[in-house]
């Protein structure tokens, strides 16, 4: 038996007791967090200064221009619009396979409403190494090399997704509002903080297929017409706003988390507003269909030496990440966008109403993202078929293929 | 030559399945179709059509409100036609010999997969139906065989110079083939009565 469910079930009462304890404290924390949000929204300059001066590792967020303590209703959707969504999936490198390679599959959906344009639902698969090496040496350290697999492959995929989004967005017909959507987050911070070599990081950011050209393209398209760009996360676990409320609620004159009195005598003073996620806060604050104020992320990591890190490349290039939360009937979603769009109220309003319309058609989740996912998804059957194809094409001679471990898994014996 | 309706995606000696080029583009029940495409022609009568999702793993969800017609649902969900396809099945009723002669029995091999399928011309229909041998194959066309046979005869009659005489001749042939199954015979005859 692979999982002893009886033993697992025996431990569930403890889990339920822990959840009850958390629920009991959650109500008080929620009331305190809402009160703190109202208080800080009334004096945004003080809040901003407090965040600017603080020394903590939390990702933070500040309201961009709007009152953070209220919700915003959407305008009616336009009669005609186009929505484009891109999603990706991959088969990772398997060292037990006869060849070390990966498959990256990008799927997309372009759907046009209120006009006669046909939808485009398609995908493109890429097998590597065929045009790029699987392992790349660093330019500064000969002993540092990156193999494109695991989390690095996931990074590459997110870069490819944004690049594909920009390319397809450029080909969208104009004449009516358009939206370009990704699943998840914009992925800018992920590339910045990943433990990869400088050469690979720069390739992922600055190469022709990298993040920066894609963001620049999307910015140009937004400037030329009504195109909005966003990354959509269903039921996010992020807590940037809650962290910012923690900073605001800190009793220290200057917030330095390494000097927190809660380190020696828990709980931390800021735990009074310490909700697990922003979703708790905004589910309470927003009515269905409303969005939150737009927030600007401040995701710089501050070192324990109290030295502030330099602004990441995307902030320096004018692509800082902003977001709002969107309250749907069933859940809360996080919608990320570049700051050049967040500062244009008509674009934010358009994105808001288009996402609501897409979620209504979903239902519950943007239909274009669903269809892009369906185009991108690599099923278990697909994975087995690819493994069989690889085995047939690559294995030099007949006989048992793969490693001893992979064969032992394929043939389970008693 | 008529334009192709679809492409063979599955074939056996006695049946073929084709996917239509356009949604809801299946030929009518009993219509005679031809699969040829660089191979000797195989003639078949349409026995069924199905419109559904391309991906068998995705069920179609109900969409639209109680007052929304089909056009409204498709306008609200314009991606749906791209996710659907129409297929039709057909029972083989004959094939062309090496010299192009009409043979009203099963071919040596199935229709090639990916062969184009088109509607039979009036000349081809008349040639196939000139002798009633093909009826024996139609009568084994599955659970809807009687409906398919009747529909095929009704449509073929329209291509004959004397429809009434054609139906009477065909009825006599059926009487011989279904001598042991009078209920089936009468059901078909009721459906082709001029």
């Amino acid at each position: 038996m692979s999982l002893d469910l009886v033993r697992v079930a025996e431990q569930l009462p403890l889990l339920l007791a822990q959840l009850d304890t958390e629920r009991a404290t959650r109500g008080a924390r929620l009331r305190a967090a809402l009160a703190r949000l109202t208080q800080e929204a009334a004096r945004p300059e003080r809040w901003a200064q407090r965040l600017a001066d603080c020394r903590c590792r939390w990702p933070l967020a500040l309201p961009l221009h709007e009152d953070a303590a209220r919700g915003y209703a959407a305008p009616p959707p336009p009669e005609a619009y186009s929505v484009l969504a891109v999603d990706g999936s991959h088969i990772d490198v398997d060292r037990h396979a006869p060849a070390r390679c990966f498959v990256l599959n990008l799927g997309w959906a372009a759907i046009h409403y209120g006009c006669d344009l046909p939808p485009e639902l398609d995908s493109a698969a890429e097998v590597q190494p065929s045009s790029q090496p699987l392992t790349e040496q660093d330019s500064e350290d000969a002993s540092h090399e990156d193999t494109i697999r695991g989390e690095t492959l996931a990074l590459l995929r997110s870069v490819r997704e944004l690049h594909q989004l920009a390319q397809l967005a450029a080909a969208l017909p104009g004449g009516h509002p358009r939206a370009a959507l990704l699943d998840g987050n914009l992925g800018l911070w992920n590339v910045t903080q990943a433990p990869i070599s400088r050469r690979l990081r720069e390739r992922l950011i600055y190469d022709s297929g990298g993040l920066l050209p894609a963001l620049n393209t999307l910015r140009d398209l937004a400037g030329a017409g009504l195109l909005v760009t966003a990354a959509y996360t269903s039921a996010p676990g992020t807590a940037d706003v809650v962290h910012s409320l923690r900073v605001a609620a800190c009793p220290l004159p200057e917030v330095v988390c390494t000097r927190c009195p809660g380190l020696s005598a828990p709980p931390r003073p800021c735990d009074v507003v310490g909700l697990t996620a922003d979703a708790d806060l905004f589910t309470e604050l927003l009515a269905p269909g409303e969005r939150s104020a737009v927030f600007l992320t401040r995701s710089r990591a501050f070192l324990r030496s109290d030295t502030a890190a330099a602004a990441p490349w995307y902030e320096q290039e004018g692509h800082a990440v902003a977001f709002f939360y969107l309250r749907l009937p069933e859940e809360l979603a996080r919608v990320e966008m570049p700051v050049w769009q967040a500062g244009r109220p008509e674009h934010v309003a358009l994105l808001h109403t288009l996402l609501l319309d897409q979620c209504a058609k979903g239902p519950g989740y943007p239909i274009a993202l669903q269809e892009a996912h369906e185009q991108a998804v690599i099923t278990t059957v697909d994975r087995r078929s690819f493994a069989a194809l690889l085995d047939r094409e690559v294995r030099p001679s007949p006989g048992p293929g793969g490693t001893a471990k992979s064969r032992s898994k394929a043939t389970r014996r008693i | 030559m008529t334009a192709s309706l679809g492409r063979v995606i599955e074939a056996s000696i006695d049946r073929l399945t084709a996917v239509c080029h356009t949604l809801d583009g299946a030929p009518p029940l009993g219509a005679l179709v031809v699969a040829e495409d660089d191979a000797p022609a195989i003639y078949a009568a349409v026995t069924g059509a199905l419109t559904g999702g391309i991906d068998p793993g995705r069920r179609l969800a109900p969409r639209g409100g109680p007052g929304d017609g089909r056009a409204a649902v498709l306008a609200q969900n314009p991606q749906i036609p791209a996710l659907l396809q129409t297929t039709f099945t057909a029972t083989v009723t004959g094939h062309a010999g090496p010299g192009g002669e009409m043979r009203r029995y099963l071919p040596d091999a199935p229709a090639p997969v990916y062969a184009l399928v088109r509607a039979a011309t009036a000349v081809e229909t008349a040639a196939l139906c000139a002798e009633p041998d093909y009826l024996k194959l139609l009568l084994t066309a599955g659970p809807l065989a009687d409906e398919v046979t009747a529909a095929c005869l009704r449509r073929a009659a329209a291509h004959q110079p004397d429809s009434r005489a054609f139906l009477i001749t065909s009825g006599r042939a059926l009487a011989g083939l279904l001598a042991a199954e009078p209920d089936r015979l009468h059901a078909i005859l009721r459906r082709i009565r001029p």
Side-chain angles (χ1 to χ4, degrees), chain A residues 289-302:
Chain A
E290 285 187 336
R291 68 164 174 87
S292 71
V294 177
F295 291 85
L296 184 65
T297 60
R298 294 187 71 254
S299 301
R300 301 179 200 182
F302 290 93

Side-chain angles (χ1 to χ4, degrees), chain A residues 278-318:
Chain A
D278 290 348
D280 293 339
L281 185 68
F282 288 101
T283 301
E284 187 70 20
L285 183 70
L286 305 175
E290 285 187 336
R291 68 164 174 87
S292 71
V294 177
F295 291 85
L296 184 65
T297 60
R298 294 187 71 254
S299 301
R300 301 179 200 182
F302 290 93
L303 305 176
R304 289 202 183 277
S305 62
D306 291 355
T307 308
W313 63 271
Y314 52 89
E315 287 185 10
Q316 293 177 24
E317 298 284 352

